[in-house]
Amino acid sequence: MRLKSSFRYSLYAAFAVLSLTGAGWLVADWQKDVAGDEIWQMTAANMLMIHGGVAMLSLLLVGALIPLHLLRSWRRGRNRVSGSIMAAFNAVLIVTAFGLYYLGSEMVRPWMSWIHLGAGFALAAMFPFHIWLGRRDRAREELRPRSEIKS
């Protein structure tokens, strides 16, 4: 189920910024412990602030994606496996982000952080694959005669 260009590019941009700021935060967080420079502390804080703001926007986009893309594609039986994986990773990211932001437990926080990082980078890797699968299936469908296509 192809999305309108403006919505599609908004998703691409949001996920790109989330991936880059997540990776940037990870590097800055590691460097602040190694180098101990103030610049790394400020960079980590700025990356996290941008990441959180774009994550809020992404929640709106993913929420809109459910009726516009996910439900329609599910009903048509398209890209169900990779779409389910994408939805699961997004759900894990939402839950762990909530945990990182609102749970103050020092025992749970490191686990939440590693799960959030793993799911985030896995989603970043899965995203282009999901798009590729959808485009491949759409191209195959366009080549089939109309009489074979089920709605």
Side-chain angles (χ1 to χ4, degrees):
M1 170 82 10
R2 191 161 177 94
L3 299 169
K4 289 185 178 180
S5 296
S6 58
F7 186 67
R8 192 170 67 244
Y9 292 135
S10 297
L11 278 168
Y12 293 173
F15 282 150
V17 171
L18 286 172
S19 298
L20 292 172
T21 56
W25 173 84
L26 186 60
V27 169
D29 191 60
W30 174 69
Q31 281 295 327
K32 76 176 184 177
D33 292 338
V34 173
D37 294 335
E38 177 91 12
I39 189 73
W40 292 111
Q41 179 69 32
M42 289 175 27
T43 302
N46 287 332
M47 288 290 121
L48 205 54
M49 184 174 53
I50 295 166
H51 190 77
V54 175
M56 290 179 204
L57 173 64
S58 296
L59 286 172
L60 293 171
L61 293 170
V62 169
L65 194 64
I66 293 170
L68 294 175
H69 181 70
L70 192 143
L71 293 176
R72 289 179 182 176
S73 296
W74 187 267
R75 285 186 201 118
R76 292 183 177 176
R78 294 183 179 154
N79 227 351
R80 283 186 175 175
V81 173
S82 67
S84 296
I85 292 169
M86 295 286 292
F89 281 138
N90 273 291
V92 168
L93 287 167
I94 292 166
V95 169
T96 56
F98 180 87
L100 286 167
Y101 196 77
Y102 290 108
L103 298 179
S105 169
E106 290 304 316
M107 194 168 92
V108 175
R109 190 168 181 75
W111 288 98
M112 286 277 186
S113 182
W114 283 111
I115 293 168
H116 190 79
L117 284 164
F121 289 125
L123 180 68
M126 185 67 189
F127 193 59
F129 183 65
H130 176 71
I131 293 166
W132 176 79
L133 286 174
R135 289 181 179 172
R136 183 196 65 178
D137 291 348
R138 185 175 181 176
R140 285 181 182 170
E141 187 174 286
E142 288 173 358
L143 292 175
R144 290 185 2 210
R146 282 270 192 226
S147 60
E148 293 181 22
I149 298 174
K150 58 182 176 181
S151 296

